[in-house]
């Protein structure tokens, strides 16, 4: 966020509070003191952190980008959407990174000890950049739910982790996407930390029959809304000034 007030402030009633005790990790992780406001430096506001040439042709295809001998097991899906700001302006050129468990609910990570097996053909990571209309697409397999050591018997709903980078180092959003119709969403202590039901609904990707590929892959739509700028398109000044 720039320090001249040109961006909307974060709506703290929309985001989960930092301390939500049913989500046990938040107890130790939440700060005990009031936050300090630090001014951004020029490098944080202007520094590019990636380039289009970093991306490979299979980076947004998780079915193929780790395949060794055959394709990964699981329901084949597309995840499609747009990145817009809260004034409905498209955000082209945003880097989107995703990571997820495999169809059995197991991450390819050394600290994941869940007994579900790794899939030798699935890495679980992908990235892409929004196009001129701020659209993006991933091809992947639907992740499985997995248990986690929180309460006695807590399970995460099937989800995909998202990171969105804007045009500067300090512009980053990290969130999770869930799947329409999954009853586990409403039992999850992490999801339960979000105070507004409408904010939860915004994290649930909708089945998109229009984008479904016949005899191939179901499609889900997940649009991401970022905070907007207070400046309007009609102001007589350059972007970023
Ligand atoms: Fe996860």
């Amino acid at each position: 966020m720039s320090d001249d007030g040109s961006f909307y402030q974060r709506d703290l009633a929309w985001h989960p509070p930092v301390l939500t005790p049913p989500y046990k990790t938040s107890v130790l992780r939440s700060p005990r003191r009031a936050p300090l406001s630090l001014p951004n430096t020029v490098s944080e506001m202007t520094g590019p952190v990636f380039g289009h040439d970093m991306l490979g042709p299979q980076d947004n295809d998780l079915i193929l980008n780790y395949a060794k001998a055959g394709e990964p097991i699981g329901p084949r899906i597309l995840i499609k959407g747009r990145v817009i700001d809260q004034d409905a302006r498209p955000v082209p050129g945003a880097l989107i990174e995703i990571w997820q468990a495999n169809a059995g609910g197991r991450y390819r990570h050394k600290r994941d000890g869940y007994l579900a097996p790794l899939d030798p053909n699935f890495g679980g990571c992908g990235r892409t950049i929004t196009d001129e209309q701020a659209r993006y697409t991933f091809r992947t397999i639907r992740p499985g739910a997995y248990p986690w050591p929180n309460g006695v018997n807590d399970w995460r709903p099937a989800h995909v982790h998202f990171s969105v980078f804007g045009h500067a180092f300090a512009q980053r959003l990290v969130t999770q996407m869930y799947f329409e119709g999954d009853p586990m969403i409403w039992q999850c202590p992490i999801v339960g930390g979000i105070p507004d039901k409408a904010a939860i609904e915004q994290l649930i990707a909708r089945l998109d029959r229009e984008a479904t590929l016949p005899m191939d892959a179901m499609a889900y739509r997940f649009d991401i809304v970022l905070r907007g700028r207070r400046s309007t398109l009609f102001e007589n000044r350059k972007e970023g000034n």
Side-chain angles (χ1 to χ4, degrees):
M1 189 171 76
S2 66
D3 61 358
D4 63 1
S6 62
F7 282 75
Y8 291 108
Q9 291 292 323
R10 183 188 297 267
D11 181 357
L12 294 178
W14 190 253
H15 292 267
V18 291
L19 176 61
T20 52
Y23 175 15
K24 275 177 25 182
T25 308
S26 76
V27 175
L28 287 177
R29 194 171 62 189
S30 55
R32 294 287 184 273
R33 299 183 182 181
L36 297 174
S37 183
L38 299 175
N40 285 334
T41 64
V42 171
S43 63
E44 287 168 337
M45 296 192 303
T46 63
V49 293
F50 60 89
H52 288 69
D53 55 350
M54 287 174 54
L55 271 68
Q58 292 182 346
D59 280 8
N60 69 337
D61 186 348
L62 284 71
I63 289 180
L64 291 182
N65 71 12
Y66 200 86
K68 301 281 193 293
E71 296 186 355
I73 292 173
R76 300 156 64 86
I77 61 170
L78 301 175
I79 302 172
K80 303 169 78 78
R82 295 179 77 214
V83 180
I84 57 176
D85 72 17
Q86 66 191 63
D87 297 316
R89 287 181 286 213
V91 183
L95 173 68
I96 302 178
E97 298 170 303
I98 64 169
W99 61 100
Q100 62 167 93
N102 66 24
R106 174 80 181 269
Y107 283 101
R108 185 171 290 282
H109 190 282
K110 62 184 177 184
R111 290 189 63 188
D112 187 343
Y114 181 33
L115 53 78
L118 286 170
D119 185 329
N121 296 306
F122 191 70
C125 299
R127 58 186 181 173
T128 191
I129 290 180
T130 55
D131 68 13
E132 283 303 307
Q133 283 80 46
R135 298 172 301 197
Y136 74 89
T137 299
F138 287 101
R139 193 171 80 128
T140 184
I141 58 97
R142 180 169 170 143
Y146 58 82
W148 59 302
N150 185 66
V152 174
N153 186 20
D154 283 332
W155 292 71
R156 295 301 328 284
H159 60 278
V160 176
H161 295 265
F162 272 71
S163 163
V164 183
F165 271 106
H167 299 278
F169 184 72
Q171 296 176 357
R172 190 183 184 208
L173 169 76
V174 176
T175 190
Q176 296 183 31
M177 185 207 91
Y178 303 95
F179 292 88
E180 180 178 6
D182 183 353
M184 300 303 290
I185 296 169
W186 307 102
Q187 302 179 26
C188 174
I190 293 179
V191 175
I194 302 171
D196 192 321
K197 186 167 183 284
I200 297 173
E201 296 281 358
Q202 205 175 26
L203 298 177
I204 301 174
R206 305 296 163 186
L207 184 64
D208 183 350
R209 294 284 287 143
E210 294 290 313
T212 293
L213 298 177
M215 307 300 288
D216 184 344
M218 302 277 273
Y220 287 87
R221 176 159 300 278
F222 184 57
D223 293 329
I224 297 168
V225 182
L226 308 176
R227 274 179 291 161
R229 301 181 302 278
R230 290 190 184 279
S231 56
T232 72
L233 292 173
F234 308 104
E235 284 189 7
N236 188 22
R237 61 179 184 177
K238 292 179 179 177
E239 292 276 62
N241 286 356

